[in-house]
Every structure is written in structure tokens, then in C-alpha cells.
Amino acid sequence: MPSIAIIGAGAAGTAAARTLHASGVDVDLYARNGEVPFNRTLVNKGIAIGLLEPAQAALPDTGAALRSETVRGLDPRARRLRLDSGDTHAYDALLIATGSRPRTLDEEVIGRDQAISGGRLTTLHSAADAVRVRDLLATTQPARVLMLGGGLVASETASLLTDAGHDVALITRAAIPGANAIGEHVARRLRDLHRPQHAAYLERTVHSIRTHTDRISITLNDGSQVEGDLAIVAHGTLPAAPAPWTGPDGIPVDSRLRSMHAPRQRIYAAGGIAVHHYPGHGSYRIDHWDDSAAQGIHAANTLLHDLDMADDPGQYLPSSTFSARIHGHTLTGVGHPALGTRTRVLSEEPLITAHYLGDVLVALTGVDAASHLRELMPRLHHSDPVTESTVPVTRQHV
Ligand SMILES: Cc1cc2nc3c(=O)[nH]c(=O)nc-3n(C[C@H](O)[C@H](O)[C@H](O)COP(=O)(O)OP(=O)(O)OC[C@H]3O[C@@H](n4cnc5c(N)ncnc54)[C@H](O)[C@@H]3O)c2cc1C
């Protein structure tokens, strides 16, 4: 029986482990030293706001053998992993599902390191980050939180902390935060939802930070100053892989999620680490939970196919949903909006937008429109464009 190793026990790794284990192959699932596989989406929605203890964010058992040891690197030709202990582990096929790491503030930001070591500047990516945020917020009620970034995690966290009674200010480089990821129309709607709730410093960047014993003050690039008890950096993510892929580029994969660096070496990649190519478009990466899980299953099925144990799963096309609850409204997306070169508003109330690459529908986004998006999902990646008449509930078209 072939021996399969999976590095990374998050969305992609655990979904793949479950699929492979169910097919009867031997699977070793590697998590970092001391890490219990956990649901990262609960870092802000559960742990940071004190709703859940880290242990409550644990993922269910996959049936695969769980090895809590960081993988330091691998030798693709020898088909061996190098483990933190110095041991090695031989495999017949390998899935890399190591996800991403958070972008931090640039090194040039004066006072950055003091703010981090003083505990008042943090990312919000790991359970440890969330515990740090939770504990600091517990000592300062209400706290003044500076949210650096305007993507979905930043937006959702700003909303959660506001609901918890804190005073959140948004600081974003973009005029319409999130427009690149979810399209301009939906991003504008989100900005309008935030407006009555937060002080917003749009089109600004951080120039310097001063750390005091009880607060930090941030000077922005236009010279304005803003004070807070805590600043959270939510500037998106970069892929994070073991050697030889430790750089910021991720692991390019083919249409079946096989590593393009090692085409014949039975290496696959899925989730936040994988860099895809869409026909007619450049490369892209998706860092959402359901899509990462779908990639994990797809890569596992390709792997089984390469071992003559399953049919070819075909080309991987991003078709999963993602959502965020923001100030009482639900943003939902399907597919990968950033693939689109043209956006069409299908409905203003509820807001539904369709994202096209040429005449192929590659994604849908909407606000309070989850059921409508679900009905339109089967049209993704087809070239029969959605027309207004196909949208189930539309009160006003533009
Ligand atoms: C605060 C927050 C909220 C989010 N909320 C949502 C949401 O609501 N909806 C949504 O769709 N997405 C959300 N996301 C994004 C989502 O969590 C990620 O897209 C998803 O977890 C990516 O899955 P993955 O399997 O690629 O990586 P992960 O789930 O991060 O798993 C990778 C695992 O690999 C481990 N690992 C890394 N390197 C090694 C190594 N060398 N050896 C051993 N193990 C290693 C890591 O420790 C990690 O456990 C959120 C992200 C954050 C940070």
C-alpha cells in the first residue's frame, strides 16, 4: 500500500486526509510542533472575542495518523521529509497544504518592532494571536482598536469588535477597501455599511508608530495621528511552505493540482499555498476555507488517480462559497472574483454582481443574497452569461 504524507492539517490538509483515508491508503498528516488541527476561521469569530477557547476550534479526527511535528524541508527526488527532530520520513506521494502566513507591516515603518514587542501591534492569523488580542481587550473595556487593512478578515473583525462594544477605527490604503478581492460594487456597499460605525482613514498608510505604556499612537502618511490601545494588521497573506519553497511565491500547480516544479515526483499542493493558472488569465491564489477544503479533496483525488486508484477528477475550477457577516449583513461570494475582468450588476436589492472573464462567468458576489447566489452557482465557468431575467428576486436593475 502506498504511503502518503500530507504537510499541514488545516482546511486543505484535513479534507485531503479524510478523502485518502476513506480510500484505504496509509496517510501521515503533519501539523506543526504541538499544534492540534484547528479551524482558522474561528480565530476572529470565536477565540479573539472570547466566545471560544482555542481547544474548541479543533477540527474533527480525519482517521489519518496525526503527527505533531513541523516539517522543515523535503527532498523531492529522494521522496523524504526532513522533520524538526532531525528525523526523516519516506513517502510515495506528498500533498503540501501548509497554507499562508500573514503579511506584516513593512520594516520601514518606524517603531514597528517596539509596538510588536509591547504587545500592542499584532496580526490576527493564529490561535496565539487571537488569545493575545482577547487578553488585551479583556483589560481595556471598551478598547480603541486600530484595524489596519480593509479585506474580509479586517471588515469582519471590525464588525465583531464593534458588536463587542469596542471602538474600532479603519486605516486602509485603498479608497474602496476590498475592491480587488470582491469587486468594486460589493466593496462600495461594505464601505457604506462601515461608515456609520467607525472612524475611517481611507487611502492612508502607516508612517510610524509610537508605543506608550498604555497605548500606541500611529502617524499616517498624511501626517495625521490616531491613538489606540491595540492595532491589528490585517493586510492579507503570503504563501508559507517548507524548503525548498520558503520564498513568497507559493507552489505553482497544474490544472489537477500537481506541483509544476516536480511534475513526475508525485507532489501535489492545495489551499492557500497553491498557485493556479486560469485559462486566459494569469496566476492566482485563493485563501478561503471552503475552497481550500475543495482543493484538498481534488488534489487527493488526482493523487489516487495517479496511483490508478480513481478516475481523473478533471480540471480544478474555483466554485466554492465564502462569506462574512458585517454589521448585520452577509457578504457572500462564489468562485474567485479576482479572475474577472468585467463585472455586471445583476440586481441592486439585494446586491448581486457577476464577474466575467471574457464571456465566462467566473464568480458571483452579493450582499444578503446567499440563496440567489446558490441558485446561480451551476452557471459558473460556463460561457452562457447570466442575464438579468435569470436572477430570482430583483427589484431594481441598473
Ligand atoms: C482570522 C481569520 C478568519 C478567517 N475567516 C474566514 C472565513 O470566514 N471564511 C473563509 O472562507 N476563510 C476564512 N479565513 C481564511 C481561511 O482560514 C484560510 O483560507 C484557510 O484556512 C486556508 O486553508 P489551508 O489548508 O490552505 O491553510 P490552513 O488552514 O492555515 O492550514 C495550514 C496548516 O499547515 C500547518 N503548517 C504550515 N507549515 C507547516 C510545516 N512546515 N509543518 C507542519 N505543518 C505546517 C499550519 O500550522 C496550519 O495548521 C480566515 C482566515 C483568518 C486568518
Side-chain angles (χ1 to χ4, degrees):
M1 189 56 70
S3 149
I4 315 295
I6 299 175
I7 318 178
T14 57
R18 220 168 282 122
T19 305
L20 292 165
H21 178 72
S23 301
V25 290
D26 289 336
V27 184
D28 290 288
L29 175 63
Y30 281 90
R32 280 187 199 278
N33 292 343
E35 185 184 72
V36 171
F38 77 104
N39 184 335
R40 195 175 297 285
T41 69
L42 298 176
V43 160
N44 62 345
K45 289 178 267 301
I47 306 169
I49 55 169
L51 210 58
L52 298 177
E53 287 300 323
Q56 292 174 292
L59 290 169
D61 183 28
T62 63
L66 179 64
R67 315 249 175 240
S68 284
E69 186 167 2
T70 304
V71 176
R72 291 293 167 204
L74 60 121
D75 181 340
R77 291 195 172 277
R79 296 195 183 174
R80 276 194 172 271
L81 303 182
R82 242 180 329 103
L83 307 179
D84 193 52
S85 58
D87 291 348
T88 62
H89 173 100
Y91 60 81
D92 297 306
L94 172 69
L95 172 65
I96 304 178
T98 44
S100 55
R101 59 191 158 90
R103 277 180 209 273
T104 53
L105 279 186
D106 286 347
E107 260 176 358
E108 297 89 72
V109 172
I110 300 158
R112 180 194 75 161
D113 294 345
Q114 293 92 314
I116 294 171
S117 56
R120 296 197 180 268
L121 176 70
T122 181
T123 51
L124 187 52
H125 191 79
S126 64
D129 291 339
V131 167
R132 202 174 314 118
V133 167
R134 179 195 70 186
D135 291 350
L136 195 137
L137 294 179
T139 62
T140 324
Q141 277 286 347
R144 295 164 304 162
V145 181
L146 309 176
M147 185 62 63
L148 311 181
L152 286 189
V153 169
S155 276
E156 188 182 60
T157 307
S159 171
L160 286 160
L161 294 180
T162 304
D163 288 350
H166 301 294
D167 172 11
V168 183
L170 299 179
I171 300 170
T172 71
R173 181 191 293 269
I176 309 170
N180 291 342
I182 53 176
E184 196 178 316
H185 300 86
V186 172
R188 267 184 208 282
R189 182 69 63 90
L190 287 193
R191 189 185 61 181
D192 294 345
L193 293 176
H194 281 307
R195 266 208 166 112
Q197 307 284 345
H198 311 288
Y201 301 84
L202 306 180
E203 295 183 271
R204 310 300 158 88
T205 55
V206 175
H207 173 265
S208 57
I209 308 176
R210 230 180 134 147
T211 304
H212 310 274
T213 46
D214 58 345
R215 68 194 191 285
I216 52 172
S217 56
I218 292 187
T219 303
L220 302 174
N221 59 332
D222 63 350
S224 55
Q225 284 209 348
V226 49
E227 287 212 337
D229 301 299
L230 171 70
I232 297 176
V233 186
H235 282 173
T237 62
L238 292 167
W245 293 293
T246 45
D249 298 333
I251 299 182
V253 291
D254 70 9
S255 65
R256 267 61 171 179
L257 310 189
R258 298 179 187 103
S259 161
M260 302 218 320
H261 285 316
R264 271 177 278 282
Q265 291 165 353
R266 299 242 161 95
I267 297 183
Y268 308 78
I273 186 65
V275 178
H276 308 260
H277 300 267
Y278 195 88
H281 190 276
S283 57
Y284 69 96
R285 206 169 63 83
I286 301 188
D287 209 350
H288 292 305
W289 185 268
D290 284 354
D291 196 78
S292 294
Q295 288 184 40
I297 293 168
H298 204 92
N301 285 325
T302 299
L303 191 160
L304 291 170
H305 170 65
D306 292 347
L307 295 173
D308 292 327
M309 294 176 67
D311 293 336
D312 178 1
Q315 181 181 8
Y316 181 78
L317 293 169
S319 311
S320 302
T321 57
F322 57 91
S323 62
R325 186 89 183 142
I326 295 164
H327 299 306
H329 296 268
T330 304
L331 173 138
T332 307
V334 188
H336 190 46
L339 286 175
T341 49
R342 192 165 57 90
T343 301
R344 188 158 160 205
V345 178
L346 301 178
S347 157
E348 277 289 349
E349 278 310 327
L351 179 59
I352 302 172
T353 64
H355 306 263
Y356 295 92
L357 178 59
D359 67 349
V360 175
L361 179 69
V362 287
L364 294 151
T365 45
V367 177
D368 299 329
S371 58
H372 305 318
L373 261 57
R374 260 194 299 277
E375 284 178 40
L376 296 168
M377 271 169 80
R379 293 170 178 270
L380 273 190
H381 307 294
H382 292 293
S383 59
D384 60 338
V386 174
T387 60
E388 279 87 346
S389 61
T390 61
V391 177
V393 178
T394 306
R395 274 177 252 147
Q396 183 196 345
H397 296 297
V398 293

